[in-house]
């Protein structure tokens, strides 16, 4: 890292994306089946491993048929909101105003999340094919791929893949000779966490300050450039491929989720597991630390769970029933070497830095939260009681009144650490 920062011209090459996939090459994978197996730069290699089969099937089904398959499969957003994808596509397609747009949210700024980066670097054509299907289903002829600026290799891979797809007739005025026009433009983010929120992302693409918009109207009615827009993240989109190639029923029976496991584990990386696998099973694969103290689910905007809660099923419903969140699939494991108060302070500093400042509850609340955590950094019991009461009041105000998910979730991790882990007792 030091060499890359001080002398980039002599720094060693970045490790390949497969280094982040301990399961690379294993049978039974769906979303990661090609990572580490195919050459990410080769369109022919991608096609040899089933590439563009889904798009051809989409043309056979027609836009309505594609939306029906995605709806029947029960696919929901994998960025954390878990909104039904089929409903979003149907709502966009049914809007009379035009043109329609497709936006891929590849900003991926949640701390601990790196699954979309691995997919883009290791299987870029899968994302291009998925965006093309989304465009066809929703009546869009142009898609925007908004990618995190700190992902230069992913940008290069996708630029190359888009150029190859365009040259070979998989993008452009007449995709696969079907009379359907679709193309993709890449937009690079400038490092703002808030631009992971879809309407702030739209503002960024349009050249405005990255701030969330009030809803309604919703993006399916007035999104990018004020037109109907379907916005999905990378993992959500690539799930469309197995839906169309296997069928909705088969997809539901074997639906998988990508999890980003890091922290004090032996084998950090991206893991693909069936929905319903337990937290304990996932940490078993990654190498659970002997003195596990806590696990943070969902990233900085998520919540902590205790070491005795390893039987939590890793589904949106299962984590919600357990009083936490699955979020985008972040799993951060911490052992006794990590001081919890300093970790909470770091999370609070992150939200203070990343608040766009548009609304008062978040702009002021994130600052007050950080100040309170500074004051009780080395305090417990009665000495911390007053500031913990203040934290609860500020946290509830942010949750109730913030305009977007940043402020609404900025208190989650701190709240769960206090109530679930007994921090500051």
């Amino acid at each position: 890292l030091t060499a890359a920062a001080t002398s980039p011209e002599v720094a060693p090459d970045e490790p390949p994306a497969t280094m982040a996939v301990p399961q690379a090459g294993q049978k039974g994978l769906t979303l990661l089946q090609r990572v580490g197996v195919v050459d990410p730069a080769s369109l022919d290699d991608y096609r040899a491993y089933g590439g563009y089969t889904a798009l051809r099937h989409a043309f056979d089904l027609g836009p309505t048929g594609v939306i029906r398959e995605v709806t029947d499969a029960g696919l929901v957003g994998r960025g954390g909101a878990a909104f039904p994808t089929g409903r979003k596509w149907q709502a966009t397609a049914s809007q009379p105003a035009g043109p329609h747009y497709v936006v891929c949210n590849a900003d991926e700024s949640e701390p601990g999340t790196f699954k979309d980066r691995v997919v883009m670097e290791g299987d870029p054509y899968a994302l291009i094919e998925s965006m093309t299907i989304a465009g066809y289903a929703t009546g869009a002829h142009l898609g925007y791929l908004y990618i995190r600026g700190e992902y230069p290799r992913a940008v290069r891979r996708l630029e190359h893949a888009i150029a190859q797809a365009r040259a070979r007739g998989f993008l452009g005025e007449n995709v696969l000779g079907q009379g359907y026009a679709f193309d993709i433009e890449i937009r690079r983010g400038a490092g703002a966490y808030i631009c992971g929120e879809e309407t702030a992302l739209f503002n960024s693409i349009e050249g405005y300050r990255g701030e969330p918009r009030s809803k309604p109207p919703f993006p399916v009615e007035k999104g990018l450039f004020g037109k109907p827009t379907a916005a999905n993240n990378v993992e959500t989109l690539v799930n469309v491929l197995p839906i169309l190639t296997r069928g909705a029923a088969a997809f539901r029976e074997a639906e998988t989720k990508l999890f980003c496991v890091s922290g004090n584990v032996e084998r950090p990386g991206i893991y693909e597991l069936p929905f319903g696998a337990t937290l304990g099973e996932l940490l078993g694969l990654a190498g659970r630390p002997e003195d596990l103290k806590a696990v943070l689910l969902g990233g900085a905007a998520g919540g902590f769970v205790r070491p005795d809660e390893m039987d939590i099923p890793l589904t949106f419903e299962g984590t919600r029933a357990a009083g936490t969140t699955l979020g985008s699939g972040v799993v951060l494991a911490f052992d006794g070497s990590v001081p919890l108060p300093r970790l909470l302070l770091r999370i609070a500093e992150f939200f203070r830095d990343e608040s766009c400042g548009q609304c008062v509850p978040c702009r002021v609340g994130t600052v007050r939260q950080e100040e309170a955590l500074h004051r009780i950094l080395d305090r417990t019991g009665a000495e911390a009681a007053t500031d913990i009461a203040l934290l609860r009041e500020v946290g509830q105000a942010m949750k109730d009144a913030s305009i977007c998910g940043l402020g609404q979730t900025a208190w989650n991790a701190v709240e769960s650490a206090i109530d679930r882990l007994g921090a500051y007792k």
Side-chain angles (χ1 to χ4, degrees):
L1 287 175
T2 302
T6 58
S7 305
E9 68 281 357
V10 298
D13 291 337
E14 190 177 358
T18 52
M19 291 291 290
V21 186
Q23 297 169 304
Q26 292 183 12
K27 294 182 179 180
L29 300 179
T30 300
L31 306 179
L32 300 176
Q33 61 177 320
R34 284 182 287 264
V35 177
V37 177
V38 304
D39 177 2
S42 172
L43 177 55
D44 290 330
D45 214 8
Y46 175 69
R47 293 180 65 193
Y49 279 84
Y52 283 101
T53 303
L55 179 58
R56 294 183 186 279
H57 188 48
F59 284 132
D60 291 338
L61 291 173
T64 303
V66 171
I67 293 175
R68 185 186 308 114
E69 283 290 294
V70 173
T71 303
D72 291 346
L75 177 64
V76 298
R78 301 296 178 82
F83 189 85
T85 304
R87 283 176 54 192
K88 180 182 290 188
W89 287 13
Q90 179 60 55
T92 305
S94 64
Q95 296 298 317
H100 295 182
Y101 293 106
V102 165
V103 172
C104 174
N105 183 348
D107 191 57
E108 194 173 45
S109 299
E110 187 66 49
T113 311
F114 46 96
K115 57 186 174 63
D116 292 349
R117 174 184 178 179
V118 170
V119 172
M120 290 186 289
E121 292 184 4
D123 197 10
Y125 289 103
L127 179 57
I128 294 170
E129 182 181 4
S130 302
M131 288 186 66
T132 308
I133 293 171
Y136 177 65
T138 59
H141 297 284
L142 181 60
Y144 286 89
L145 204 169
Y146 188 90
I147 187 168
R148 181 173 175 170
E150 295 91 338
Y151 286 176
R153 183 166 64 183
V155 171
R156 292 194 301 269
R157 293 269 169 89
L158 285 162
E159 286 175 341
H160 172 79
I162 288 172
Q164 289 296 307
R166 193 179 289 135
R168 300 277 291 275
F170 294 96
L171 286 176
E173 293 298 321
N174 189 15
V175 176
L176 291 179
Q178 297 292 320
Y180 168 64
F182 185 76
D183 214 334
I184 296 173
E185 293 186 12
I186 292 178
R187 294 290 185 270
R188 297 184 65 176
Y193 175 77
I194 189 62
C195 287
E197 197 278 335
E198 58 185 5
T199 60
L201 184 154
F202 298 157
N203 278 339
S204 179
I205 291 177
E206 293 174 17
Y208 299 111
R209 180 181 173 89
E211 292 179 339
R213 303 173 183 173
S214 297
K215 292 183 280 191
F218 295 98
V220 296
E221 302 166 354
K222 291 187 177 181
L224 185 64
F225 302 115
K227 301 299 182 180
T229 305
N232 299 104
N233 83 326
V234 174
E235 185 186 353
T236 307
L237 286 167
V238 296
N239 267 282
V240 174
L241 303 184
I243 290 174
L244 295 184
T245 55
R246 299 179 183 180
F251 175 83
R252 286 198 309 271
E253 292 177 2
E255 188 175 5
T256 61
K257 175 79 179 74
L258 299 182
F259 298 96
C260 306
V261 186
S262 57
N264 303 116
V265 293
E266 295 178 12
R267 294 173 294 278
I270 303 293
Y271 289 86
E272 181 177 351
L273 290 179
F275 266 114
T278 65
L279 178 57
E281 291 171 344
L282 176 59
L283 289 181
L285 290 174
R288 170 179 170 167
E290 292 184 3
D291 61 337
L292 180 67
K293 298 299 182 184
V295 178
L296 180 59
L297 291 179
F304 286 96
V305 298
R306 300 185 305 270
D308 61 349
E309 297 179 290
M310 293 297 104
D311 59 345
I312 293 176
L314 294 174
T315 63
F316 292 107
E317 299 80 11
T319 52
R320 192 180 304 119
T324 183
T325 178
L326 189 61
S328 59
V330 177
V331 179
L332 280 161
F334 301 103
D335 62 17
S337 67
V338 179
L340 186 58
R342 293 190 178 278
L343 175 61
L344 297 178
L345 180 57
R346 181 67 191 90
I347 291 173
E349 290 171 344
F350 171 80
F351 281 118
R352 180 213 62 202
D353 287 341
E354 296 298 340
S355 172
C356 73
Q358 181 182 14
C359 67
V360 173
C362 180
R363 182 177 71 240
V364 177
T366 52
V367 175
R368 296 293 174 262
Q369 178 173 262
E370 182 199 359
E371 291 172 346
L373 290 172
H374 263 296
R375 287 194 295 268
I376 60 175
L377 186 60
D378 299 312
R379 298 179 182 178
T380 57
E383 293 182 342
T386 300
D387 279 307
I388 287 177
L390 175 63
L391 281 168
R392 293 188 187 281
E393 184 177 347
V394 170
Q396 193 61 49
M398 288 194 291
K399 186 176 293 187
D400 291 342
S402 294
I403 194 173
C404 80
L406 190 154
Q408 293 164 11
T409 61
W411 152 248
N412 284 1
V414 180
E415 180 183 31
S416 66
I418 293 171
D419 294 339
R420 206 162 195 147
L421 303 181
Y424 309 108
K425 279 190 176 180

